[in-house]
Structures are given as C-alpha cells and as structure tokens.
Amino acid sequence: MLWFLASVGGPGDGAVRHPAGRRRAAVAPTVLALGTVSLITDVSSEMVTAVLPLYLVAGLGLSPLGFGLLDGVYNGFSAVVRLAGGHLADRGGGRHKWVAGLGYGVSALCKPLLLLAHTLTPIGLILAADRTGKGLRTAPRDALISLSSPPESRGRAFGVHRAMDTAGALLGPLVAFWILRATVDGYDAVFTVSACVAVVGVLVLVLFVPGGRSGAVTAAGRRRPTLRAALALLRTRDLRRITVCAVLLGLATVSDSFVYLLLQRRIGVPDRWFALLPLGTAAAFLLLAVGAGRLADRLGRWRVFLAGHVALLAAYGLLLTSWHDTALPYAVLLLHGAFYAATDGVLMAAASDRVPEGLRSTGLAVVQTGQALARFACSLLFGAAWTVWGDRTALLASAVALAVCAAWCSLTLRPAREATV
C-alpha cells in the first residue's frame, strides 16, 4: 500500500497543515459520547450480524441468491432514508441528536421481532426496518462528529469514533459466541440479549450526548436549509466526484458476510466457530482506525482511502489463491480490517471538507446513500453470480472490477487538490 500512498494525489490532497506552534485540538466530548453510543449499539448489532449468515443459510436453508437479497437489504436499504434523515436533521435547525435518536430507537425495536420471523419475507421486512433506523441516524451522527471537530483533526476524530464503534463490533460476536455455546435455543437468546443492549445505547444517547442546538452545531440553524439547496449539492463538482468514486468502489465491494462465508469454505471453519470470524476484522479495524485517521490528516485523505481498497483487493487475492496455510484467515481478516480503518471514517472526513455547515448532515448523506446503494447492488449481483457460476468465479469478477474502479478513481483524483486548512 505504500506505493499507492505515494502515487495518489498531490501534497494538498486532503492533507492538513498545522500552523507552527499551534497545539492540536483534543477530541471533542461529543465525539467520545457518540463513540460510547456506537460502541454499545454495535455490540447489539454485531451479535445479530455474526450469526445471521449461518442462521439464514444453514438454519433456514436459504440459497446464496436468497441470502444475497437479504444481505443487500440489510446493508443497502438504509440508502432509501439516509437523505431524509440528513435533511430532517439540517432543516430542524440542528436537531441532529434527536433524528439520530429516532434511528437508534427504531433499530432497537426491530431486534426482538427476529424472534417471530422464520421465513424470507418477514425477515426481509424486519431487516429493512432495522436498516431504516440506521439510515436515519448515520448522517446526523457523522455531522455531529464533523461539526464538533476542527478541520485539521477531523480524520483523527472520525478515527476515534470508528475505533470505539469497532470495539463494540469486537465484543458483539464474542457475546453471540458465548450465548450460542451456553444456551439451547441459541439464536433466540442472541436476538433477545441484542434487543436489551440496543435499549441501553438509546438511553446513553439521550442522557449524555449534547443537544443539537448547542456548541458547534448552532451554525446549522442560521439559515433553514431547503430541499432545493440540498439537491444542489449534487451539482457541486468536488462532492459529485467524491460520490461517484464512492459509488464505483462500492459496486465492487463484497459484503462482509460473503467474505466470512468464503473464508469458512476455504479453511473449513466449523459452524460453532463461525461467529468468531468477524472478530479478526474488528480487531484490525480497532487497532488501525485512529492511526489511519491521523495519517489521512497528514498525508491526504484520498491517498489513505484508496490505499484501503488496495488492502481489500489483496484480501480478495488471498481468497482466490490455493494457499491453505494456517495464517490465511489471519492475513485475510487483517487486510479486511485495514480496508475499513482506511476508508470508513476517512471518507466522511474528506466529504465534510466539501459541505457547508448548514447542510453538513445532508451532504454526508448524499455520499453515504450512493455508497449504500452501490453495496446493495453488489450483494445482489454477487449472490446471483455465486449461484450461477460458483463462489470463486464470482469473487474473481469482483476483484477485477475493484482493481479497475480503484485505478480509475486514482487517475480521477490525482489532479485534485483539497483545501488546506
């Protein structure tokens, strides 16, 4: 990845110069509070995510195509409401906290409903409702992080938040694994505990995250954003370029669940250990997220973002090889976690630089919506390709598409020079 960091973009490509003698701002309390909410919520969400592929494919007997449909719903349906959530938060005069809280609440209510669903249609509807909650909360939450952080340290702020979020992602599969081993009706117990933990996350948000009209967010209330102004963001060249690149790369990003299923097939992981595979990704993400954010502030956000996709391409390559060493799962999961560390928060930090404060939540939602729709399409296409051609051919096609899209984006972004703060 080092050559990629050196070749993409110029010195001003998202890198932020710190004035001589100026002390870097500490991470804002709002970021830490939101990180705590995300940590607790991710424990709940990842408990379900860790067992869902096996529950659907092995337990309910869904085909890869059927699972691809549900996985696409789970990861992409939020795109339908992200713009609405972002616009509501901005138009409400900076009510980012309360729109985010509504989203967290909807997702919490969906967890116990999984206890009642045992066929494709009701499970799909519940997952769609859960992702609706995620869609409502994601952009307002990221807007709060951005608005409460100075531009020169936004990469680090998002890195800290994503690290805390990933700590929850690390704990969630462990809790699910322990429950599956300790109970008879393991899946039902996982869904029940997940619902209880989600409620705790909502309470922490309500009690400890500052209200949307205070602090840095007050700038959003100076002028009430209109729908026309929100749609006009798409005509902004820089934001449009960011969105197009996120969409293209998302179209070639195989979902986490498929990566874990492919890895299980390669190394023959027993079903009872399957829930532990996401721990490798989460651990790497946790260790690398803050460093990747700080590196993005120093060297350029697009350099780090595209280097993360090189790491993902390397993970695909390892899954396609005939290598069967015991180090294979560790290498794949390390690269998978590095991909998320270098892309998730870094993309939001890069987009924040190009969106005015009054439309910050809406602007971030534009990028997130494009990426979510692309990943939804990728889940459908990959599931269909797996069903028709087999898993290796489907992964090879995704790897080629990712390489082509990454190369195109690196050429497109090379002449770009992001604002220097």
Side-chain angles (χ1 to χ4, degrees):
M1 288 187 292
L2 294 177
W3 68 269
F4 211 78
L5 289 171
S7 64
V8 177
D13 181 28
V16 179
R17 300 190 184 110
H18 300 276
R22 180 177 174 180
R23 185 179 179 181
R24 294 180 184 176
V27 175
T30 299
V31 176
L32 297 177
L34 287 168
T36 303
V37 174
S38 293
L39 188 155
I40 296 170
T41 302
D42 245 38
V43 172
S44 170
S45 298
E46 293 304 320
M47 286 174 62
V48 175
T49 302
V51 302
L52 195 62
L54 201 61
Y55 175 67
L56 295 175
V57 175
L60 300 184
L62 291 182
S63 68
L65 178 59
F67 176 71
L69 175 61
L70 279 182
D71 189 67
V73 168
Y74 191 71
N75 291 292
F77 192 85
S78 60
V80 178
V81 293
R82 287 194 187 198
L83 285 173
H87 184 62
L88 283 174
D90 288 333
R91 190 171 177 80
R95 294 172 185 162
H96 301 77
K97 170 182 174 177
W98 304 113
V99 176
L102 176 63
Y104 281 111
V106 170
S107 294
L109 290 174
C110 289
K111 298 297 190 299
L113 295 179
L114 288 170
L115 294 167
L116 308 175
H118 301 287
T119 57
L120 180 63
T121 300
I123 290 176
L125 291 174
I126 292 169
L127 295 181
D130 178 74
R131 293 301 90 181
T132 297
K134 182 176 177 61
L136 285 173
R137 71 180 184 250
T138 301
R141 180 203 64 198
D142 285 349
L144 279 172
I145 296 171
S146 172
L147 291 167
S148 63
S149 306
E152 66 269 17
S153 62
R154 278 184 188 142
R156 179 172 55 165
F158 276 102
V160 168
H161 174 268
R162 288 338 192 234
M164 297 179 71
D165 182 272
T166 307
L170 192 64
L171 292 173
L174 282 175
V175 175
F177 174 73
W178 178 79
I179 292 173
L180 287 175
R181 289 180 61 89
T183 59
V184 177
D185 297 324
Y187 292 120
D188 287 350
V190 167
F191 298 150
T192 301
V193 175
S194 173
C196 296
V197 175
V199 171
V200 175
V202 175
L203 292 175
V204 172
L205 174 76
V206 172
L207 295 175
F208 296 104
V209 174
R213 288 187 178 273
S214 61
V217 189
T218 54
R222 293 174 186 165
R223 183 180 177 184
R224 186 165 182 159
T226 64
L227 183 60
R228 178 178 297 180
L231 295 176
L233 288 172
L234 292 173
R235 295 197 293 269
T236 304
R237 180 175 178 271
D238 291 331
L239 187 64
R240 186 171 64 248
R241 184 173 61 236
I242 290 172
T243 305
V244 169
C245 288
V247 167
L248 288 176
L249 293 168
L251 284 171
T253 301
V254 177
S255 78
D256 299 355
S257 298
F258 276 125
V259 170
Y260 302 141
L261 287 171
L262 288 166
L263 191 56
Q264 184 198 32
R265 287 195 166 203
R266 281 291 312 277
I267 61 179
V269 177
D271 289 352
R272 67 180 181 276
W273 298 104
F274 182 84
L276 294 181
L277 289 179
L279 293 180
T281 296
F285 193 171
L286 176 63
L287 293 174
L288 299 174
V290 177
R294 296 184 66 179
L295 192 65
D297 287 336
R298 287 175 173 269
L299 299 182
R301 286 157 191 162
W302 280 114
R303 289 179 174 180
V304 175
F305 178 74
L306 290 172
H309 286 85
V310 174
L312 182 63
L313 185 61
Y316 291 173
L318 289 178
L319 287 171
L320 288 167
T321 65
S322 58
W323 186 37
H324 284 84
D325 192 89
T326 54
L328 174 65
Y330 300 100
V332 170
L333 295 175
L334 175 63
L335 290 168
H336 198 224
F339 158 70
Y340 278 112
T343 58
D344 192 7
V346 171
L347 177 62
M348 292 297 97
S352 296
D353 296 336
R354 293 310 188 189
V355 181
E357 289 189 3
L359 290 168
R360 184 65 50 82
S361 184
T362 305
L364 296 184
V366 168
V367 180
Q368 293 167 353
T369 297
Q371 186 180 60
L373 286 173
R375 291 184 176 179
F376 173 81
C378 183
S379 287
L380 294 180
L381 292 172
F382 188 85
W386 185 338
T387 302
V388 175
W389 299 323
D391 56 346
R392 289 182 63 84
T393 303
L395 184 60
L396 178 61
S398 296
V400 172
L402 180 61
V404 171
C405 292
W408 185 87
C409 290
S410 67
L411 293 174
T412 301
L413 298 170
R414 183 186 295 275
R417 295 292 184 270
E418 296 190 25
T420 299
V421 179

PDB file of all heavy atoms in Angstrom, residues 181-214:
ATOM      1  N   ARG A 181     -23.024 -21.071  22.761  1.00  0.00           N
ATOM      2  CA  ARG A 181     -22.445 -22.233  23.449  1.00  0.00           C
ATOM      3  C   ARG A 181     -23.135 -22.518  24.781  1.00  0.00           C
ATOM      4  O   ARG A 181     -23.112 -23.657  25.269  1.00  0.00           O
ATOM      5  CB  ARG A 181     -20.950 -22.014  23.685  1.00  0.00           C
ATOM      6  CG  ARG A 181     -20.116 -22.073  22.420  1.00  0.00           C
ATOM      7  CD  ARG A 181     -18.642 -21.857  22.737  1.00  0.00           C
ATOM      8  NE  ARG A 181     -18.124 -22.878  23.618  1.00  0.00           N
ATOM      9  CZ  ARG A 181     -17.599 -24.039  23.220  1.00  0.00           C
ATOM     10  NH1 ARG A 181     -17.562 -24.322  21.919  1.00  0.00           N
ATOM     11  NH2 ARG A 181     -17.127 -24.911  24.085  1.00  0.00           N
ATOM     12  N   ALA A 182     -23.741 -21.495  25.396  1.00  0.00           N
ATOM     13  CA  ALA A 182     -24.267 -21.654  26.747  1.00  0.00           C
ATOM     14  C   ALA A 182     -25.758 -21.948  26.800  1.00  0.00           C
ATOM     15  O   ALA A 182     -26.280 -22.299  27.858  1.00  0.00           O
ATOM     16  CB  ALA A 182     -23.974 -20.397  27.566  1.00  0.00           C
ATOM     17  N   THR A 183     -26.460 -21.790  25.670  1.00  0.00           N
ATOM     18  CA  THR A 183     -27.910 -21.954  25.684  1.00  0.00           C
ATOM     19  C   THR A 183     -28.351 -23.010  24.679  1.00  0.00           C
ATOM     20  O   THR A 183     -27.618 -23.339  23.735  1.00  0.00           O
ATOM     21  CB  THR A 183     -28.623 -20.634  25.363  1.00  0.00           C
ATOM     22  OG1 THR A 183     -28.209 -20.179  24.060  1.00  0.00           O
ATOM     23  CG2 THR A 183     -28.276 -19.565  26.389  1.00  0.00           C
ATOM     24  N   VAL A 184     -29.568 -23.497  24.882  1.00  0.00           N
ATOM     25  CA  VAL A 184     -30.125 -24.490  23.969  1.00  0.00           C
ATOM     26  C   VAL A 184     -30.699 -23.805  22.729  1.00  0.00           C
ATOM     27  O   VAL A 184     -30.351 -24.126  21.601  1.00  0.00           O
ATOM     28  CB  VAL A 184     -31.219 -25.313  24.675  1.00  0.00           C
ATOM     29  CG1 VAL A 184     -31.856 -26.301  23.693  1.00  0.00           C
ATOM     30  CG2 VAL A 184     -30.638 -26.056  25.874  1.00  0.00           C
ATOM     31  N   ASP A 185     -31.582 -22.834  22.928  1.00  0.00           N
ATOM     32  CA  ASP A 185     -32.142 -22.064  21.809  1.00  0.00           C
ATOM     33  C   ASP A 185     -31.251 -20.842  21.566  1.00  0.00           C
ATOM     34  O   ASP A 185     -31.608 -19.703  21.875  1.00  0.00           O
ATOM     35  CB  ASP A 185     -33.578 -21.629  22.121  1.00  0.00           C
ATOM     36  CG  ASP A 185     -34.498 -22.823  22.279  1.00  0.00           C
ATOM     37  OD1 ASP A 185     -34.297 -23.804  21.542  1.00  0.00           O
ATOM     38  OD2 ASP A 185     -35.410 -22.773  23.123  1.00  0.00           O
ATOM     39  N   GLY A 186     -30.078 -21.109  21.027  1.00  0.00           N
ATOM     40  CA  GLY A 186     -29.043 -20.084  20.945  1.00  0.00           C
ATOM     41  C   GLY A 186     -29.435 -18.857  20.160  1.00  0.00           C
ATOM     42  O   GLY A 186     -29.211 -17.727  20.593  1.00  0.00           O
ATOM     43  N   TYR A 187     -30.038 -19.029  18.972  1.00  0.00           N
ATOM     44  CA  TYR A 187     -30.373 -17.889  18.131  1.00  0.00           C
ATOM     45  C   TYR A 187     -31.396 -16.980  18.806  1.00  0.00           C
ATOM     46  O   TYR A 187     -31.258 -15.742  18.788  1.00  0.00           O
ATOM     47  CB  TYR A 187     -30.903 -18.362  16.780  1.00  0.00           C
ATOM     48  CG  TYR A 187     -29.874 -19.037  15.924  1.00  0.00           C
ATOM     49  CD1 TYR A 187     -30.040 -20.356  15.505  1.00  0.00           C
ATOM     50  CD2 TYR A 187     -28.714 -18.366  15.524  1.00  0.00           C
ATOM     51  CE1 TYR A 187     -29.084 -20.985  14.706  1.00  0.00           C
ATOM     52  CE2 TYR A 187     -27.755 -18.991  14.730  1.00  0.00           C
ATOM     53  CZ  TYR A 187     -27.951 -20.298  14.335  1.00  0.00           C
ATOM     54  OH  TYR A 187     -27.009 -20.915  13.561  1.00  0.00           O
ATOM     55  N   ASP A 188     -32.410 -17.563  19.425  1.00  0.00           N
ATOM     56  CA  ASP A 188     -33.413 -16.751  20.114  1.00  0.00           C
ATOM     57  C   ASP A 188     -32.793 -15.972  21.268  1.00  0.00           C
ATOM     58  O   ASP A 188     -33.146 -14.810  21.517  1.00  0.00           O
ATOM     59  CB  ASP A 188     -34.548 -17.643  20.638  1.00  0.00           C
ATOM     60  CG  ASP A 188     -35.448 -18.158  19.534  1.00  0.00           C
ATOM     61  OD1 ASP A 188     -35.308 -17.672  18.391  1.00  0.00           O
ATOM     62  OD2 ASP A 188     -36.274 -19.038  19.799  1.00  0.00           O
ATOM     63  N   ALA A 189     -31.875 -16.595  21.975  1.00  0.00           N
ATOM     64  CA  ALA A 189     -31.212 -15.913  23.089  1.00  0.00           C
ATOM     65  C   ALA A 189     -30.356 -14.755  22.586  1.00  0.00           C
ATOM     66  O   ALA A 189     -30.309 -13.677  23.200  1.00  0.00           O
ATOM     67  CB  ALA A 189     -30.356 -16.905  23.869  1.00  0.00           C
ATOM     68  N   VAL A 190     -29.686 -14.954  21.458  1.00  0.00           N
ATOM     69  CA  VAL A 190     -28.874 -13.879  20.877  1.00  0.00           C
ATOM     70  C   VAL A 190     -29.751 -12.681  20.526  1.00  0.00           C
ATOM     71  O   VAL A 190     -29.417 -11.534  20.834  1.00  0.00           O
ATOM     72  CB  VAL A 190     -28.123 -14.383  19.623  1.00  0.00           C
ATOM     73  CG1 VAL A 190     -27.532 -13.211  18.844  1.00  0.00           C
ATOM     74  CG2 VAL A 190     -27.014 -15.343  20.025  1.00  0.00           C
ATOM     75  N   PHE A 191     -30.887 -12.930  19.888  1.00  0.00           N
ATOM     76  CA  PHE A 191     -31.770 -11.840  19.488  1.00  0.00           C
ATOM     77  C   PHE A 191     -32.341 -11.108  20.711  1.00  0.00           C
ATOM     78  O   PHE A 191     -32.503  -9.882  20.701  1.00  0.00           O
ATOM     79  CB  PHE A 191     -32.908 -12.376  18.623  1.00  0.00           C
ATOM     80  CG  PHE A 191     -32.449 -13.010  17.330  1.00  0.00           C
ATOM     81  CD1 PHE A 191     -33.173 -14.044  16.745  1.00  0.00           C
ATOM     82  CD2 PHE A 191     -31.280 -12.587  16.708  1.00  0.00           C
ATOM     83  CE1 PHE A 191     -32.745 -14.624  15.563  1.00  0.00           C
ATOM     84  CE2 PHE A 191     -30.845 -13.169  15.518  1.00  0.00           C
ATOM     85  CZ  PHE A 191     -31.576 -14.192  14.955  1.00  0.00           C
ATOM     86  N   THR A 192     -32.636 -11.843  21.780  1.00  0.00           N
ATOM     87  CA  THR A 192     -33.188 -11.221  22.985  1.00  0.00           C
ATOM     88  C   THR A 192     -32.170 -10.323  23.672  1.00  0.00           C
ATOM     89  O   THR A 192     -32.465  -9.167  24.022  1.00  0.00           O
ATOM     90  CB  THR A 192     -33.671 -12.307  23.968  1.00  0.00           C
ATOM     91  OG1 THR A 192     -34.659 -13.117  23.333  1.00  0.00           O
ATOM     92  CG2 THR A 192     -34.263 -11.674  25.216  1.00  0.00           C
ATOM     93  N   VAL A 193     -30.964 -10.825  23.867  1.00  0.00           N
ATOM     94  CA  VAL A 193     -29.920 -10.025  24.513  1.00  0.00           C
ATOM     95  C   VAL A 193     -29.570  -8.814  23.657  1.00  0.00           C
ATOM     96  O   VAL A 193     -29.340  -7.711  24.168  1.00  0.00           O
ATOM     97  CB  VAL A 193     -28.673 -10.887  24.784  1.00  0.00           C
ATOM     98  CG1 VAL A 193     -27.525 -10.039  25.333  1.00  0.00           C
ATOM     99  CG2 VAL A 193     -28.998 -12.010  25.754  1.00  0.00           C
ATOM    100  N   SER A 194     -29.544  -9.002  22.342  1.00  0.00           N
ATOM    101  CA  SER A 194     -29.247  -7.899  21.434  1.00  0.00           C
ATOM    102  C   SER A 194     -30.241  -6.764  21.618  1.00  0.00           C
ATOM    103  O   SER A 194     -29.862  -5.581  21.623  1.00  0.00           O
ATOM    104  CB  SER A 194     -29.273  -8.401  19.982  1.00  0.00           C
ATOM    105  OG  SER A 194     -29.154  -7.339  19.073  1.00  0.00           O
ATOM    106  N   ALA A 195     -31.521  -7.083  21.763  1.00  0.00           N
ATOM    107  CA  ALA A 195     -32.546  -6.049  21.952  1.00  0.00           C
ATOM    108  C   ALA A 195     -32.312  -5.272  23.243  1.00  0.00           C
ATOM    109  O   ALA A 195     -32.438  -4.035  23.273  1.00  0.00           O
ATOM    110  CB  ALA A 195     -33.930  -6.687  21.962  1.00  0.00           C
ATOM    111  N   CYS A 196     -31.962  -5.966  24.309  1.00  0.00           N
ATOM    112  CA  CYS A 196     -31.725  -5.298  25.597  1.00  0.00           C
ATOM    113  C   CYS A 196     -30.535  -4.348  25.523  1.00  0.00           C
ATOM    114  O   CYS A 196     -30.577  -3.223  26.037  1.00  0.00           O
ATOM    115  CB  CYS A 196     -31.509  -6.336  26.694  1.00  0.00           C
ATOM    116  SG  CYS A 196     -32.946  -7.389  27.017  1.00  0.00           S
ATOM    117  N   VAL A 197     -29.470  -4.777  24.883  1.00  0.00           N
ATOM    118  CA  VAL A 197     -28.278  -3.933  24.760  1.00  0.00           C
ATOM    119  C   VAL A 197     -28.588  -2.700  23.915  1.00  0.00           C
ATOM    120  O   VAL A 197     -28.122  -1.588  24.207  1.00  0.00           O
ATOM    121  CB  VAL A 197     -27.113  -4.742  24.148  1.00  0.00           C
ATOM    122  CG1 VAL A 197     -25.904  -3.842  23.895  1.00  0.00           C
ATOM    123  CG2 VAL A 197     -26.726  -5.885  25.079  1.00  0.00           C
ATOM    124  N   ALA A 198     -29.382  -2.857  22.851  1.00  0.00           N
ATOM    125  CA  ALA A 198     -29.735  -1.730  21.989  1.00  0.00           C
ATOM    126  C   ALA A 198     -30.478  -0.645  22.766  1.00  0.00           C
ATOM    127  O   ALA A 198     -30.267   0.554  22.540  1.00  0.00           O
ATOM    128  CB  ALA A 198     -30.586  -2.211  20.816  1.00  0.00           C
ATOM    129  N   VAL A 199     -31.327  -1.038  23.694  1.00  0.00           N
ATOM    130  CA  VAL A 199     -32.062  -0.065  24.512  1.00  0.00           C
ATOM    131  C   VAL A 199     -31.093   0.745  25.376  1.00  0.00           C
ATOM    132  O   VAL A 199     -31.256   1.962  25.541  1.00  0.00           O
ATOM    133  CB  VAL A 199     -33.101  -0.789  25.400  1.00  0.00           C
ATOM    134  CG1 VAL A 199     -33.714   0.175  26.404  1.00  0.00           C
ATOM    135  CG2 VAL A 199     -34.187  -1.399  24.530  1.00  0.00           C
ATOM    136  N   VAL A 200     -30.062   0.104  25.908  1.00  0.00           N
ATOM    137  CA  VAL A 200     -29.057   0.816  26.705  1.00  0.00           C
ATOM    138  C   VAL A 200     -28.360   1.884  25.857  1.00  0.00           C
ATOM    139  O   VAL A 200     -28.119   3.008  26.308  1.00  0.00           O
ATOM    140  CB  VAL A 200     -28.027  -0.174  27.280  1.00  0.00           C
ATOM    141  CG1 VAL A 200     -26.906   0.574  28.002  1.00  0.00           C
ATOM    142  CG2 VAL A 200     -28.698  -1.150  28.238  1.00  0.00           C
ATOM    143  N   GLY A 201     -28.051   1.554  24.596  1.00  0.00           N
ATOM    144  CA  GLY A 201     -27.423   2.530  23.710  1.00  0.00           C
ATOM    145  C   GLY A 201     -28.281   3.759  23.499  1.00  0.00           C
ATOM    146  O   GLY A 201     -27.782   4.891  23.486  1.00  0.00           O
ATOM    147  N   VAL A 202     -29.589   3.566  23.332  1.00  0.00           N
ATOM    148  CA  VAL A 202     -30.506   4.698  23.162  1.00  0.00           C
ATOM    149  C   VAL A 202     -30.514   5.569  24.407  1.00  0.00           C
ATOM    150  O   VAL A 202     -30.493   6.808  24.328  1.00  0.00           O
ATOM    151  CB  VAL A 202     -31.927   4.199  22.837  1.00  0.00           C
ATOM    152  CG1 VAL A 202     -32.905   5.369  22.776  1.00  0.00           C
ATOM    153  CG2 VAL A 202     -31.942   3.444  21.514  1.00  0.00           C
ATOM    154  N   LEU A 203     -30.520   4.962  25.582  1.00  0.00           N
ATOM    155  CA  LEU A 203     -30.521   5.719  26.831  1.00  0.00           C
ATOM    156  C   LEU A 203     -29.254   6.551  26.984  1.00  0.00           C
ATOM    157  O   LEU A 203     -29.304   7.708  27.423  1.00  0.00           O
ATOM    158  CB  LEU A 203     -30.673   4.767  28.019  1.00  0.00           C
ATOM    159  CG  LEU A 203     -32.033   4.066  28.158  1.00  0.00           C
ATOM    160  CD1 LEU A 203     -32.006   3.074  29.305  1.00  0.00           C
ATOM    161  CD2 LEU A 203     -33.147   5.093  28.362  1.00  0.00           C
ATOM    162  N   VAL A 204     -28.115   6.001  26.620  1.00  0.00           N
ATOM    163  CA  VAL A 204     -26.853   6.749  26.700  1.00  0.00           C
ATOM    164  C   VAL A 204     -26.893   7.953  25.772  1.00  0.00           C
ATOM    165  O   VAL A 204     -26.443   9.052  26.123  1.00  0.00           O
ATOM    166  CB  VAL A 204     -25.663   5.834  26.364  1.00  0.00           C
ATOM    167  CG1 VAL A 204     -24.371   6.644  26.261  1.00  0.00           C
ATOM    168  CG2 VAL A 204     -25.506   4.750  27.433  1.00  0.00           C
ATOM    169  N   LEU A 205     -27.439   7.785  24.571  1.00  0.00           N
ATOM    170  CA  LEU A 205     -27.556   8.909  23.641  1.00  0.00           C
ATOM    171  C   LEU A 205     -28.403  10.018  24.246  1.00  0.00           C
ATOM    172  O   LEU A 205     -28.024  11.196  24.226  1.00  0.00           O
ATOM    173  CB  LEU A 205     -28.175   8.430  22.333  1.00  0.00           C
ATOM    174  CG  LEU A 205     -28.487   9.526  21.309  1.00  0.00           C
ATOM    175  CD1 LEU A 205     -27.207   9.998  20.643  1.00  0.00           C
ATOM    176  CD2 LEU A 205     -29.485   9.049  20.262  1.00  0.00           C
ATOM    177  N   VAL A 206     -29.564   9.673  24.771  1.00  0.00           N
ATOM    178  CA  VAL A 206     -30.484  10.671  25.314  1.00  0.00           C
ATOM    179  C   VAL A 206     -29.870  11.406  26.502  1.00  0.00           C
ATOM    180  O   VAL A 206     -30.004  12.626  26.645  1.00  0.00           O
ATOM    181  CB  VAL A 206     -31.808   9.999  25.727  1.00  0.00           C
ATOM    182  CG1 VAL A 206     -32.707  10.979  26.468  1.00  0.00           C
ATOM    183  CG2 VAL A 206     -32.533   9.455  24.493  1.00  0.00           C
ATOM    184  N   LEU A 207     -29.148  10.695  27.344  1.00  0.00           N
ATOM    185  CA  LEU A 207     -28.670  11.267  28.603  1.00  0.00           C
ATOM    186  C   LEU A 207     -27.337  12.004  28.482  1.00  0.00           C
ATOM    187  O   LEU A 207     -27.088  12.963  29.216  1.00  0.00           O
ATOM    188  CB  LEU A 207     -28.540  10.167  29.662  1.00  0.00           C
ATOM    189  CG  LEU A 207     -29.846   9.485  30.095  1.00  0.00           C
ATOM    190  CD1 LEU A 207     -29.557   8.342  31.056  1.00  0.00           C
ATOM    191  CD2 LEU A 207     -30.791  10.497  30.733  1.00  0.00           C
ATOM    192  N   PHE A 208     -26.460  11.576  27.555  1.00  0.00           N
ATOM    193  CA  PHE A 208     -25.088  12.076  27.593  1.00  0.00           C
ATOM    194  C   PHE A 208     -24.618  12.814  26.341  1.00  0.00           C
ATOM    195  O   PHE A 208     -23.612  13.514  26.395  1.00  0.00           O
ATOM    196  CB  PHE A 208     -24.119  10.913  27.879  1.00  0.00           C
ATOM    197  CG  PHE A 208     -24.325  10.283  29.221  1.00  0.00           C
ATOM    198  CD1 PHE A 208     -24.966   9.059  29.334  1.00  0.00           C
ATOM    199  CD2 PHE A 208     -23.903  10.923  30.377  1.00  0.00           C
ATOM    200  CE1 PHE A 208     -25.174   8.469  30.570  1.00  0.00           C
ATOM    201  CE2 PHE A 208     -24.103  10.348  31.619  1.00  0.00           C
ATOM    202  CZ  PHE A 208     -24.742   9.118  31.729  1.00  0.00           C
ATOM    203  N   VAL A 209     -25.299  12.674  25.222  1.00  0.00           N
ATOM    204  CA  VAL A 209     -24.889  13.403  24.020  1.00  0.00           C
ATOM    205  C   VAL A 209     -25.510  14.795  24.062  1.00  0.00           C
ATOM    206  O   VAL A 209     -26.723  14.921  24.255  1.00  0.00           O
ATOM    207  CB  VAL A 209     -25.319  12.658  22.740  1.00  0.00           C
ATOM    208  CG1 VAL A 209     -25.017  13.499  21.499  1.00  0.00           C
ATOM    209  CG2 VAL A 209     -24.614  11.313  22.646  1.00  0.00           C
ATOM    210  N   PRO A 210     -24.713  15.861  23.873  1.00  0.00           N
ATOM    211  CA  PRO A 210     -25.257  17.227  23.914  1.00  0.00           C
ATOM    212  C   PRO A 210     -26.336  17.429  22.859  1.00  0.00           C
ATOM    213  O   PRO A 210     -26.320  16.812  21.788  1.00  0.00           O
ATOM    214  CB  PRO A 210     -24.034  18.110  23.622  1.00  0.00           C
ATOM    215  CG  PRO A 210     -22.863  17.265  23.990  1.00  0.00           C
ATOM    216  CD  PRO A 210     -23.259  15.852  23.686  1.00  0.00           C
ATOM    217  N   GLY A 211     -27.285  18.336  23.165  1.00  0.00           N
ATOM    218  CA  GLY A 211     -28.363  18.639  22.233  1.00  0.00           C
ATOM    219  C   GLY A 211     -27.854  19.307  20.980  1.00  0.00           C
ATOM    220  O   GLY A 211     -26.791  19.924  20.955  1.00  0.00           O
ATOM    221  N   GLY A 212     -28.648  19.208  19.905  1.00  0.00           N
ATOM    222  CA  GLY A 212     -28.212  19.688  18.599  1.00  0.00           C
ATOM    223  C   GLY A 212     -28.114  21.190  18.459  1.00  0.00           C
ATOM    224  O   GLY A 212     -27.499  21.694  17.539  1.00  0.00           O
ATOM    225  N   ARG A 213     -28.715  21.969  19.369  1.00  0.00           N
ATOM    226  CA  ARG A 213     -28.692  23.414  19.199  1.00  0.00           C
ATOM    227  C   ARG A 213     -27.528  24.084  19.924  1.00  0.00           C
ATOM    228  O   ARG A 213     -27.405  25.295  19.905  1.00  0.00           O
ATOM    229  CB  ARG A 213     -29.995  24.026  19.715  1.00  0.00           C
ATOM    230  CG  ARG A 213     -31.180  23.739  18.809  1.00  0.00           C
ATOM    231  CD  ARG A 213     -32.402  24.493  19.269  1.00  0.00           C
ATOM    232  NE  ARG A 213     -33.517  24.255  18.387  1.00  0.00           N
ATOM    233  CZ  ARG A 213     -33.774  24.949  17.298  1.00  0.00           C
ATOM    234  NH1 ARG A 213     -32.965  25.911  16.923  1.00  0.00           N
ATOM    235  NH2 ARG A 213     -34.823  24.681  16.554  1.00  0.00           N
ATOM    236  N   SER A 214     -26.706  23.292  20.575  1.00  0.00           N
ATOM    237  CA  SER A 214     -25.594  23.872  21.306  1.00  0.00           C
ATOM    238  C   SER A 214     -24.296  23.616  20.590  1.00  0.00           C
ATOM    239  O   SER A 214     -24.181  22.793  19.714  1.00  0.00           O
ATOM    240  CB  SER A 214     -25.522  23.287  22.722  1.00  0.00           C
ATOM    241  OG  SER A 214     -25.325  21.890  22.650  1.00  0.00           O
TER     242      SER A 214
END
